[in-house]
Amino acid sequence: MTSFDKPGIDLHTHSVVSDGTESPGEVVRQAAKAGLDVIALTDHDTTAGWAEASVAARETGVTLIPGIEFSSQLNHASVHVLGYLIDPANEVMLAEMQQVRASRVSRAERMVRMIGADHDLDWDDVLSVTEPGATVGRPHIADALVAKGIAESRVAAFETILHWRGGYYVAHYAPSPFDAVKLIRRAGGVPVLAHPGSRGKRGMAQDVVGQLVQAGLAGLEVGHRENDAESRALLLEIAAEHNLIVTGSSDYHGAGKPNRLGENTTAPEQLQRILDQATGSEPVFAEPNAL
């Protein structure tokens, strides 16, 4: 892989291809406006935004690290694994992501039916706020609730109606994080556990991370607004014990979340460790005459 030493590195962003509010190209353009040198596009369970983001990267001078955020579950709890520079043509990975996306849609339909029994909401309301081709998920239901005046914001919707204790929550299919890590590795990618602090102490437990390391886990996303100071300190200890890559990211969703591009960043030497391990695909660099 190519050596890399630029600062301003944000390795976790989303577009309308999953649950962000901006096109893949616009995410890259916003990164350029924010003064970032590198971003990773990591839409949920899909690489469909890579091509458009790559064009924008070449035009703006922002280096793109193509990635995904792979859904998994551990003891009925959602766990997300970021996968950087996978092979987008890997058949096993493609099949698994398709199964997850299909399950997300059927789960969303069931949740909407349940919510609709108590509120003025139906499936057409959700589709009306979903970009064509995007996998419908809870964020789109949240946007529909906002559009109908049932919730004040996407965040408010997730804190009430869409909360897992809100009475309408339905789980969807996802592999275990151990299998997710293995799948990413087999596709030539580099797996990093996303915002572990948001999963509680169990999500950061030494035994869980140790098992994930044995499966091939490469790193931990330490710099993230959902990891508090205590969580970050513990994550840094775990990373040091297992010699793991440490990343920092915004988890940008456009207007879908308050997270801002570059609010947490990754050190160049940590990105270099990702590049050194990846074999599935390459970063997308700017055209020589960009800007």
Side-chain angles (χ1 to χ4, degrees), residues 71-80 104 138 169 172 195 198-199:
S71 301
S72 71
Q73 289 185 11
L74 179 64
N75 300 326
H76 305 293
S78 176
V79 178
H80 291 169
R104 279 182 178 273
R138 285 194 299 161
Y169 184 82
H172 66 83
H195 42 74
S198 66
R199 308 305 173 192

Side-chain angles (χ1 to χ4, degrees), residues 25-177:
E26 185 60 23
V27 172
V28 176
R29 288 186 286 274
Q30 289 297 325
K33 291 179 182 178
L36 292 171
D37 297 291
V38 186
I39 69 161
L41 182 67
T42 52
D43 282 313
H44 291 283
D45 309 304
T46 181
T47 63
W50 286 16
E52 181 183 333
S54 295
V55 172
R58 294 188 181 99
E59 293 174 347
T60 61
V62 174
T63 295
L64 174 70
I65 306 297
I68 59 169
E69 186 170 10
F70 199 20
S71 301
S72 71
Q73 289 185 11
L74 179 64
N75 300 326
H76 305 293
S78 176
V79 178
H80 291 169
V81 184
L82 295 159
Y84 299 110
L85 299 165
I86 66 168
D87 175 2
N90 182 276
E91 293 184 358
V92 177
M93 176 64 79
L94 287 172
E96 191 70 11
M97 290 193 296
Q98 173 57 34
Q99 186 173 357
V100 172
R101 291 197 305 272
S103 180
R104 279 182 178 273
V105 173
S106 60
R107 170 259 205 127
E109 290 177 326
R110 183 177 172 189
M111 288 184 68
V112 170
R113 286 196 298 270
M114 293 168 65
I115 295 169
D118 299 321
H119 301 277
D120 181 22
L121 186 76
D122 61 31
W123 189 242
D124 286 339
D125 295 324
V126 177
L127 294 180
S128 70
V129 296
T130 304
E131 287 290 323
T135 299
V136 181
R138 285 194 299 161
H140 303 101
I141 301 174
D143 291 344
L145 290 168
V146 173
K148 297 284 292 207
I150 300 169
E152 292 185 359
S153 66
R154 185 185 276 192
V155 171
F158 270 90
E159 290 176 344
T160 55
I161 293 174
L162 296 179
H163 192 276
W164 68 274
R165 290 179 174 172
Y168 305 106
Y169 184 82
V170 175
H172 66 83
Y173 165 77
S176 76

